[in-house]
Amino acid sequence: MLEGLMNLLSVCWKPFIKGDSSETGAAVGVNGNYNGDGDDFEKDGLLWFRDIGKYGSGEYSMAVVQANQVLEDQSQIESGSFGTFVGVYDGHGGPDVARYVCDHLFRNFQATSAEDYGVVTPETIRNAFLETENGFTAIVSELFNARPSIATVGSCCLVGVIYQQTLFIANLGDSRVVLGKKVGNTGGMAAIQLSSEHNANLEEVRHELKSLHPHDPQIVALKHGVWRVKGIIQVSRSIGDVYMKHAEYNNDQIAQKFRLPEDVVMPILSATPSILTHAIQPSDSFLIFASDGLWEHLSNEEAVEIVHNNPRAGIAKRLVKAALHEAAKKREMRYSDLRKIDKRVRRHFHDDITVIVLFLNYDQISRGSANGPNVSVRSALEH
């Protein structure tokens, strides 16, 4: 059993390559194998991007830049007769959970929606998240004695689903999606944040944690100017991080910095996502999905203005570069010098950053996605 699970994880850790059956007639296999000839992804140092592509409801642009020694961000776009599924998974403590989520969450979504005859509801998405959490917890159970660090790895998880004319946004952690919405006939574009974030630096999150754990005065603690759950982790919801959820993994086998001084009598972190339902309108122009690495350097309004005022092709890359310019400016250095810094050391200047921009074609959405291209794009690459 243990050997089989190790093999499963090693498969999940292989790089994924894109497939777009609308262009090649090929598809991406279970292990991320691309069965077509040609690859229009590009790389520029630690920056990987696809400037423009088509999905069921319009066009998309995608980019990721690496800062950690091992890329911890993962992301995907899946589009077909069911609609469109977008995921951004920002790992912490290592890439294990983000890679697992990228390989399993969409499959679990397909399975749960099939049980409802293809109808998508908030419960459909919530169940897919919990199935994914349970799947990874089962792997931790089998691997813990051989590799206890697997219990201290986790991932934020941001998902968008376009089903018919409805957009569902589900989130764990502090990644974010922002809607660019046309303002009447003014030519302006409003920035509307659609995701709820679960970060202990937000007062409402601290209040929620204190309400859930009224007998724990240390449920949140200020460390080096940053609020953290139990003084350890900033996010209050995630996939993984099972040492914060199950008492059997809070023991001296894990690293001391993760050890809790008391038993875990109830889960401290949650894997239940916050879910928003939004009826798509003709004025809804585009969606910016991004890990928190982008939002550390750009405001919602700045990001929307960049997308609104520049060509679609390469817009995700443009957003990433804008964030990198800001990161360099904060350290009083030139962007050209920041680009020379290799991964791992780069993490002192910025995080891994993933950006997916979806442009919304309301006419296509109102007609349904059945006639749109079948797309499977996975950004889980190793640089």
Side-chain angles (χ1 to χ4, degrees):
M1 182 65 176
L2 177 59
E3 181 180 358
L5 285 166
M6 291 296 284
N7 289 337
L8 171 63
L9 284 175
S10 67
V11 166
C12 295
W13 292 343
K14 291 180 180 178
F16 289 95
I17 305 176
K18 73 100 184 176
D20 186 336
S21 59
S22 68
E23 297 175 358
T24 66
V28 175
V30 171
N31 297 337
N33 299 313
Y34 173 56
N35 301 317
D37 54 359
D39 185 352
D40 53 2
F41 289 125
E42 298 180 64
K43 284 179 62 178
D44 178 9
L46 296 176
L47 176 65
W48 169 94
F49 55 93
R50 186 176 186 192
D51 279 340
I52 198 76
K54 293 182 179 180
Y55 75 103
S57 302
E59 295 178 313
Y60 71 87
S61 182
M62 200 170 183
V64 57
V65 66
Q66 182 175 356
N68 287 292
Q69 177 65 38
V70 178
L71 180 65
E72 295 183 349
D73 276 13
Q74 309 294 307
S75 58
Q76 67 187 128
I77 302 174
E78 308 287 343
S79 190
S81 59
F82 68 91
T84 298
F85 178 103
V86 177
V88 172
Y89 318 122
D90 180 2
H92 47 261
D96 311 57
V97 180
R99 290 175 175 183
Y100 180 88
V101 172
C102 198
D103 200 37
H104 290 84
L105 180 56
F106 175 64
R107 297 183 201 175
N108 290 333
F109 166 77
Q110 287 180 303
T112 56
S113 61
E115 293 174 1
D116 294 327
Y117 305 98
V119 176
V120 178
T121 66
E123 194 65 21
T124 305
I125 299 170
R126 186 177 296 109
N127 288 340
F129 272 67
L130 296 178
E131 282 294 318
T132 306
E133 166 80 354
N134 292 338
F136 190 79
T137 301
I139 287 179
V140 173
S141 176
E142 294 295 334
L143 296 184
F144 183 69
N145 287 329
R147 188 183 164 207
S149 63
I150 195 75
T152 61
V153 182
S155 182
C156 299
C157 188
L158 172 64
V159 164
V161 176
I162 297 175
Y163 172 71
Q164 296 179 353
Q165 295 181 50
T166 300
L167 170 67
F168 297 92
I169 298 295
N171 195 38
L172 299 171
D174 54 9
S175 295
R176 185 183 304 172
V177 57
V178 175
L179 169 68
K181 189 178 187 69
K182 298 172 187 173
V183 182
N185 296 318
T186 66
M189 192 74 64
I192 302 172
Q193 183 172 327
L194 299 181
S195 52
S196 298
E197 295 176 17
H198 313 111
N199 187 305
N201 279 309
L202 299 173
E203 184 176 355
E204 59 267 30
V205 173
R206 296 197 298 275
H207 178 75
E208 178 185 55
L209 288 165
K210 290 174 182 178
S211 298
L212 292 170
H213 305 272
H215 304 297
D216 185 353
Q218 298 299 318
I219 188 63
V220 290
L222 191 62
K223 292 288 185 73
H224 308 296
V226 177
W227 286 100
R228 297 179 182 273
V229 182
K230 300 300 293 182
I232 297 173
I233 187 171
Q234 286 183 256
V235 295
S236 62
R237 303 192 196 188
S238 69
I239 300 289
D241 296 307
V242 300
Y243 74 104
M244 284 271 195
K245 300 170 180 176
H246 303 282
E248 60 266 37
Y249 306 114
N250 174 32
N251 60 39
D252 58 9
Q253 290 178 264
I254 65 175
Q256 182 63 37
K257 65 180 180 178
F258 296 112
R259 286 290 309 280
L260 302 177
E262 65 283 323
D263 290 337
V264 178
V265 296
M266 64 175 288
I268 296 171
L269 304 187
S270 170
T272 301
S274 59
I275 300 179
L276 173 141
T277 302
H278 172 77
I280 299 173
Q281 304 296 321
S283 56
D284 295 342
S285 183
F286 54 82
L287 296 162
I288 305 171
F289 294 82
S291 56
D292 71 317
L294 181 81
W295 309 112
E296 288 175 359
H297 302 292
L298 296 180
S299 69
N300 296 350
E301 292 73 19
E302 287 170 335
V304 164
E305 280 301 302
I306 289 171
V307 177
H308 179 48
N309 293 321
N310 289 283
R312 291 185 174 189
I315 197 62
K317 176 177 63 180
R318 186 182 293 271
L319 284 168
V320 170
K321 287 187 174 182
L324 297 182
H325 276 280
E326 288 300 314
K329 187 186 302 183
K330 290 174 183 177
R331 300 299 290 268
E332 299 182 342
M333 63 189 303
R334 294 177 298 184
Y335 169 69
S336 58
D337 291 329
L338 177 65
R339 289 187 73 250
K340 298 173 185 176
I341 301 173
D342 202 359
K343 56 190 177 183
R344 189 178 66 81
V345 177
R346 185 81 83 88
R347 184 62 184 87
H348 295 290
F349 299 85
H350 65 84
D351 200 354
D352 295 336
I353 302 173
T354 292
V355 177
I356 296 175
V357 180
L358 284 191
F359 293 96
L360 302 172
N361 184 319
Y362 184 77
D363 289 339
Q364 284 183 256
I365 293 170
S366 62
R367 290 197 305 267
S369 302
N371 296 323
N374 293 322
V375 176
S376 182
V377 184
R378 308 283 294 276
S379 73
L381 301 178
E382 302 234 29
H383 293 298

